[in-house]
Amino acid sequence: MPAPSDGTSAAVDAPSGADHTNAEVKHELSDSEIAVQCRALDLPVLIIDGIEDIRPRWAVDSLHQALTNSQRMKLARSGHLPWVENPDDFRAAVTTFLTKHSRDAPRGRP
């Protein structure tokens, strides 16, 4: 796309407001205290997201990366609300995860 004749740059040359905001949030999350605390957690975590979710993937990717003892499950036929959009597969994933990790849990703690 050629540059406009008025000396301004074309709209495609500059990031949109949403792109700029997303880049700032992505940077803040990677260096935030929450990310540091996530990396320090020593417990199993299940992350379930829908394959059809239209939100940026980097948010879930960075959470999965920060939680060092996490397992990620991507559910088909679901978007941002997999527990609503695909409750059977969601329930099965949670049940399997909890069953597996209840056997691994230390005994004798209240």
Side-chain angles (χ1 to χ4, degrees):
M1 171 183 241
S5 60
D6 64 359
T8 62
S9 61
V12 294
D13 293 340
S16 72
D19 289 341
H20 181 70
T21 301
N22 283 339
E24 285 181 8
V25 170
K26 185 176 180 180
H27 177 71
E28 286 176 16
L29 288 176
S30 66
D31 295 333
S32 73
E33 182 62 26
I34 290 176
V36 171
Q37 291 177 357
C38 283
R39 288 189 285 271
L41 286 175
D42 185 25
L43 65 137
V45 175
L46 176 63
I47 299 170
I48 301 176
D49 62 323
I51 291 174
E52 299 169 16
D53 193 344
I54 62 171
R55 295 186 184 239
R57 308 307 315 157
W58 60 261
V60 180
D61 296 340
S62 64
L63 179 63
H64 181 52
Q65 191 173 32
L67 292 164
T68 57
N69 191 9
S70 64
Q71 174 185 337
R72 185 171 179 183
M73 171 77 60
K74 297 179 184 180
L75 290 186
R77 300 181 318 277
S78 57
H80 193 66
L81 305 171
W83 57 92
V84 174
E85 299 160 329
N86 188 345
D88 295 333
D89 288 348
F90 182 86
R91 188 177 305 109
V94 171
T95 300
T96 299
F97 180 82
L98 291 175
T99 300
K100 175 186 177 209
H101 290 287
S102 68
R103 284 183 254 143
D104 298 341
R107 302 290 180 216
R109 293 195 326 186

